Amino acid sequence: MSGTPRRCLELQNSSTHIAKAVEILCEGGLVALPSETVYGLGADATSEVAVRKIFAAKQRPAGHPLIIHVADIETARTFSNDFNEVAETLGSTFWPGPLTLLVKRSTKVIDEITGGRETVALRVPAHKTFRTVLTAFSQNGSGAIAAPSANLYGSVSPTTAQHVLSDMGNLIDAVLDGGHCVVGIESTIVDCTVDPPVILRQGAVTLELINAALKPIGVAAAEEFNGDSRAPGMKISHYAPRAVVKLFENMESLSTYAKQCDVSAIPYVSITGNADRDLYARELYSLIRDADGLHPQEILVLLPESIDIGVAIRDRLFKAAAPH
Ligand code: AMP
Ligand code: MG
């Protein structure tokens, strides 16, 4: 890698290009893949060498565990030696989809994935292109893809192929363009190894949906993350743009603050989101990236209500606003 930028292949959503993406994965390379949540930086989850490349490209600290993506629940079971009743219920209810399950690992899982932990995070994604890649990779390779968000550690997650190219274009082998991610924020993570199970990260699969599926056991409400080692890698400052992010609960307080700003430069850009919270989630990272691209000192953001996916949007925004 001695300083020469490598050429990143820009692959389109065609069978020839998907075959090329699978070939790169089989050779231990890095391919950014579209998913319904955000673009993932994919590599063969069973190859130590390939997984180490993810950490190097993202500049992610070693020991922060990665999610393994597989084609179906049957394959997921093989990566766990205790795929328990809670995991079975949640997997069969929400997969394929934006839900990650933390379960006890099997011997198939390498230490590079879990950072040496006895648990592993598994997901069956719903994005059609990702699923086609997984099916082909099951036939020609391991069928297990490690894929954290395809951005540099701590920065804003990518929801388009263009975002990936602008962040990591010279660090990866290819990006497969599957359009704009439809959910737009990272998967919900549920720890199934504890009783009751706990939501470690909020996402589109909400507390209410999980509780309905897990009747009568239920799930413990999401933890407040402040460096808790139960979900390592979710540090307080995350998803952060260059500008300072300031958050507002209502339009009135945002406008009052904006009026006081010095308008001689570009002091702020405001993001007021969308009353349709699903749409707000879908556009969130694009809005933050576009705002940051104008090089303001501050980005003023209107928080959504803490209802359904609004809970997850607020979580990401609080992390984007944390000092870094
Ligand atoms: P991402 O970087 O969005 O793919 O999310 C990965 C996150 O999943 C990590 O930062 C952890 O918080 C969580 N995670 C993955 N594997 C484990 C594990 N074995 N134990 C605890 N948390 C995990
Ligand atoms: Mg990430």
Side-chain angles (χ1 to χ4, degrees):
M1 288 249 300
S2 59
T4 343
R6 69 167 106 182
R7 200 171 76 88
C8 172
L9 285 178
E10 292 178 43
L11 304 173
Q12 302 306 314
N13 206 349
S14 68
S15 51
T16 330
H17 281 192
I18 289 176
K20 182 67 194 169
V22 174
E23 187 188 315
I24 297 170
L25 290 170
C26 290
E27 287 165 356
L30 295 181
V31 185
L33 297 167
S35 94
E36 68 275 26
T37 57
V38 301
Y39 272 72
L41 183 55
D44 183 351
T46 63
S47 158
E48 290 165 18
V49 176
V51 171
R52 283 199 199 114
K53 286 183 192 167
I54 292 181
F55 284 89
K58 277 185 65 87
Q59 295 165 29
R60 181 170 170 127
H64 283 194
L66 303 177
I67 297 170
I68 297 184
H69 300 76
V70 290
D72 47 47
I73 195 165
E74 291 76 24
T75 315
R77 287 189 197 109
T78 69
F79 286 92
S80 173
N81 62 15
D82 183 23
F83 201 82
N84 59 23
E85 212 180 315
V86 168
E88 286 289 347
T89 304
L90 295 180
S92 51
T93 310
F94 297 107
W95 282 349
L99 176 70
T100 296
L101 301 179
L102 195 67
V103 289
K104 292 254 163 61
R105 72 194 260 192
S106 74
T107 49
K108 270 177 82 172
V109 180
I110 59 174
D111 279 340
E112 279 72 11
I113 289 287
T114 69
R117 287 170 193 79
E118 284 313 305
T119 51
V120 64
L122 301 170
R123 177 157 91 92
V124 176
H127 195 289
K128 195 165 172 285
T129 311
F130 202 152
R131 297 187 59 69
T132 309
V133 169
L134 277 167
T135 307
F137 190 50
S138 313
Q139 282 147 15
N140 303 320
S142 74
I145 299 179
S149 53
N151 55 277
L152 295 177
Y153 179 66
S155 71
V156 183
S157 300
T159 47
T160 66
Q162 209 46 52
H163 293 163
V164 176
L165 285 168
S166 69
D167 288 4
M168 313 204 80
N170 58 349
L171 297 167
I172 63 178
D173 298 303
V175 57
L176 183 53
D177 193 340
H180 199 295
C181 301
V182 292
V183 175
I185 55 176
E186 299 75 5
S187 60
T188 306
I189 303 180
V190 176
D191 184 351
C192 304
T193 68
V194 288
D195 186 14
V198 172
I199 297 185
L200 298 180
R201 180 171 72 188
Q202 297 274 7
V205 179
T206 61
L207 175 75
E208 292 75 17
L209 289 171
I210 293 169
N211 268 330
L214 282 183
K215 257 180 206 158
I217 324 167
V219 68
E223 299 193 337
E224 268 308 311
F225 285 109
N226 34 28
D228 188 329
S229 61
R230 271 225 252 173
M234 279 188 245
K235 57 181 185 148
I236 295 189
S237 168
H238 213 123
Y239 320 111
R242 190 199 48 82
V244 172
V245 175
K246 286 221 152 68
L247 306 177
F248 299 87
E249 290 287 355
N250 52 59
M251 234 4 242
E252 202 186 348
S253 57
L254 189 152
S255 306
T256 309
Y257 180 88
K259 277 189 203 122
Q260 294 162 1
C261 291
D262 169 15
V263 286
S264 55
I266 302 184
Y268 70 86
V269 175
S270 44
I271 295 176
T272 50
N274 198 302
D276 176 341
R277 284 178 293 276
D278 288 332
L279 199 54
Y280 194 172
R282 194 172 310 153
E283 294 180 342
L284 179 68
Y285 292 139
S286 284
L287 290 167
I288 294 178
R289 281 170 177 268
D290 291 350
D292 210 31
L294 298 171
H295 304 290
Q297 284 164 23
E298 294 181 344
I299 301 176
L300 315 184
V301 189
L302 182 63
L303 288 160
E305 276 189 83
S306 196
I307 304 171
D308 50 58
I309 202 168
V311 178
I313 300 173
R314 290 172 69 95
D315 163 75
R316 305 309 191 271
L317 284 171
F318 280 111
K319 286 180 178 142
H324 57 278

